Amino acid sequence: MAKTKIGILGAGYAGLLALKVLQSKAKDVEITLIDRNSYHNEATDYHEVAAGSVNADKITYPISDVVKPGITNFIQATVTKIDKAAKTVEIEGHEPMTFDYLIVALGFRSETFGINGATEFALPMDDVESSEAVYKHFIAKLEDYRTSKNPDNLKVLIAGAGFTGMELIGAMAENKAKYAKIAGVTPDDIELTCIDAAPSLLPMFPSDLADYAVKRLAKRGAKVYTSRGINEVKDGVVVAQNMETKEIIEFPAGTIIWTTGVSGSDVIANSGIEARRNRVMVTSQLKDPENDKVYIIGDVAAVMDAESGRPYPTTAQIALVMGHVAAMNIIADMNGQEGEDFKYVSQGTVCSLGNTDAIGVLGNGTKVKGYVASALKKIIMNKSLWETGGVKEMLAKGRFDLYH
Ligand SMILES: Cc1cc2nc3c(=O)[nH]c(=O)nc-3n(C[C@H](O)[C@H](O)[C@H](O)COP(=O)(O)OP(=O)(O)OC[C@H]3O[C@@H](n4cnc5c(N)ncnc54)[C@H](O)[C@@H]3O)c2cc1C
């Protein structure tokens, strides 16, 4: 009997978790996993690479460590298009892949919302390479300062004070002394600023925790401004408007980093799949509404949260649960059984403000901050590593400096 062909696009949190479940539980399957990289990225740590707190190899591990030969064939290549009707996937430099079931887990990319100059003059943090590029760019500016004395070289402007922007400015604030040494200045000369159009910060946290975050960052000399809508990005300047006073303010900076939000992979749009910002509104079982053999999960999927009346946010924690549910639903379908609905119960949300500081809310609503919250963040990250890469990767790449 011919084996059932399952394609998995993307070896991020969602794709790798689905792969692990299918490899251990599905019978008579032939899995093809495709990713443009040979390694899995811990995307939740990109800000640490961009800030120079850790090297890229600390947040990556080989996909081959998770692949079971004989069941799964891994292809390192870029997916360009999905043809749901023909049940094929187009891949750069390869024959198209055919499938009986498909899991689309192609993740996110930075979204500029069409703001003029953002693509040309601001740096994204979309993957390990672009995160490394942010660090290299800033270091080059600091080195250049030694001779040019251009004050803008010491300035970083982070556009977007969401989760990513706040984690990034927290990590950078911690490294000010290291940056200052490179430029030959004092830590107080390094200017870190984060701006956002929203009137308040981090809506997923109670306002007292968001206030704590801003105060702690200010203590380390990092400024966060709300109600600053970005009009335009020029070479070395962000032009924003104070949303309350309508005053136009220019933020000059040698390094401009873009963290205003994310969209799903462009492969969704290239494939003509109906979506909003490349996120497909999937069924409660995570299937494409137009093809029940295609599952769309992680940051390329949108599922309504009945409680909030809004789609669930894009997080690694949710991507992992989706990976599990999609794999189990394929197995159920192969066995002629009814699949399960996606449900997510948050164990807690934590936003780091550097290595030893953070804010968080546990699943039961308990608020945490400071050292305790930062230790909790590391435990959550280690759990993700264990779920996708197993004990080996958790021990090799995990964060065990919980008590500092
Ligand atoms: C700085 C930062 C901090 C974050 N912090 C947290 C946090 O604390 N907690 C949390 O839960 N979430 C956090 N997130 C969000 C989290 O990282 C994402 O929600 C998560 O990565 C989504 O997982 P995914 O599997 O859908 O996609 P991804 O992790 O993006 O994986 C997608 C995979 O697809 C591959 N791929 C993409 N396009 C192609 C293509 N065309 N062809 C082949 N392969 C392709 C990529 O190489 C990648 O391996 C953070 C994100 C950032 C950027």
Side-chain angles (χ1 to χ4, degrees):
M1 201 179 75
K3 289 186 176 177
T4 303
K5 287 184 184 172
I6 305 175
I8 302 178
L9 311 182
Y13 296 91
L16 271 198
L17 206 286
L19 176 75
K20 285 194 76 179
V21 174
L22 288 167
Q23 284 184 159
S24 70
K25 295 192 187 323
K27 304 255 178 315
D28 299 320
V29 294
E30 196 179 282
I31 303 170
T32 303
L33 171 69
I34 306 174
D35 199 287
R36 61 186 168 205
N37 296 318
S38 61
Y39 51 82
H40 163 80
N41 301 313
E42 289 288 300
T44 54
D45 290 342
Y46 286 165
H47 60 286
E48 298 209 30
V49 172
S53 304
V54 299
N55 289 329
D57 65 358
K58 181 74 182 167
I59 71 157
T60 56
Y61 60 81
I63 290 169
S64 57
D65 281 2
V66 183
V67 166
K68 275 194 184 166
I71 304 177
T72 303
N73 175 31
F74 171 57
I75 301 175
Q76 186 192 343
T78 298
V79 172
T80 52
K81 197 173 168 192
I82 301 160
D83 186 335
K84 293 186 296 185
K87 293 194 163 188
T88 56
V89 174
E90 290 178 22
I91 314 161
E92 255 174 36
H94 287 259
E95 288 292 301
M97 177 192 77
T98 57
F99 62 85
D100 298 311
Y101 291 92
L102 184 68
I103 296 180
V104 184
L106 290 167
F108 67 91
R109 66 153 174 85
S110 181
E111 172 63 65
T112 60
F113 300 100
I115 292 175
N116 260 345
T119 311
E120 292 94 317
F121 301 117
L123 302 166
M125 274 189 346
D126 282 347
D127 47 31
V128 170
E129 287 78 17
S130 54
S131 304
E132 277 183 313
V134 167
Y135 182 61
K136 283 186 188 149
H137 176 97
F138 184 39
I139 295 305
K141 291 283 171 190
L142 294 174
E143 284 169 350
D144 179 75
Y145 178 84
R146 281 187 172 265
T147 47
S148 71
K149 301 294 175 203
N150 177 356
D152 291 352
N153 283 3
L154 305 179
K155 295 177 188 165
V156 174
L157 189 285
I158 300 170
F163 219 93
T164 302
M166 292 295 275
E167 291 205 318
L168 176 62
I169 198 168
M172 294 190 98
E174 206 165 56
N175 292 338
K176 275 176 88 173
K178 171 173 146 184
Y179 304 149
K181 210 169 164 192
I182 295 167
V185 296
T186 69
D188 285 346
D189 294 323
I190 303 291
E191 279 187 36
L192 304 175
T193 309
C194 185
I195 61 172
D196 201 290
S200 56
L201 289 170
L202 302 173
M204 65 294 269
F205 294 106
S207 59
D208 57 326
L209 284 184
D211 291 346
Y212 167 89
V214 174
K215 279 189 197 132
R216 295 290 291 184
L217 289 169
K219 226 174 162 187
R220 285 187 259 146
K223 296 176 194 144
V224 182
Y225 295 109
T226 52
S227 298
R228 303 291 190 275
I230 297 173
N231 288 347
E232 190 183 0
V233 185
K234 296 186 200 166
D235 191 5
V237 188
V238 172
V239 183
Q241 182 170 34
N242 183 321
M243 309 294 274
E244 285 147 17
T245 64
K246 306 294 173 212
E247 179 199 359
I248 299 290
I249 316 156
E250 294 207 338
F251 291 93
T255 302
I256 300 168
I257 310 168
W258 199 258
T259 65
T260 58
V262 295
S263 289
S265 160
D266 285 332
V267 171
I268 298 295
N270 297 344
S271 308
I273 300 173
E274 201 181 315
R276 193 162 168 264
R277 277 169 53 195
N278 290 336
R279 294 184 74 198
V280 183
M281 190 59 79
V282 292
T283 69
S284 58
Q285 292 191 2
L286 307 180
K287 296 177 185 183
D288 178 84
E290 291 168 356
N291 189 323
D292 68 358
K293 303 295 182 211
V294 175
Y295 291 76
I296 302 180
I297 59 174
D299 282 6
V300 278
V303 192
M304 284 308 277
D305 175 2
E307 217 170 277
S308 70
R310 290 169 38 200
Y312 283 101
T314 50
T315 74
Q317 300 312 310
I318 290 177
L320 289 166
V321 178
M322 286 182 163
H324 188 270
V325 171
M328 293 307 289
N329 283 351
I330 288 178
I331 295 169
D333 197 64
M334 284 169 60
N335 295 332
Q337 293 160 349
E338 187 54 33
E340 58 180 290
D341 282 352
F342 166 77
K343 283 189 205 73
Y344 178 67
V345 181
S346 173
Q347 306 291 310
T349 307
V350 185
C351 175
S352 65
L353 305 167
N355 190 37
T356 57
D357 203 356
I359 54 170
V361 179
L362 308 187
N364 64 7
T366 305
K367 296 185 240 180
V368 284
K369 59 188 181 190
Y371 280 122
V372 176
S374 74
L376 190 66
K377 174 89 178 180
K378 289 169 192 168
I379 292 168
I380 294 171
M381 296 304 161
N382 288 348
K383 185 168 172 275
S384 302
L385 262 172
W386 173 69
E387 284 184 271
T388 58
V391 175
K392 178 183 163 191
E393 306 303 345
M394 186 187 74
L395 292 178
K397 311 282 173 164
R399 302 290 295 271
F400 301 104
D401 54 333
L402 302 185
Y403 304 107
H404 320 292

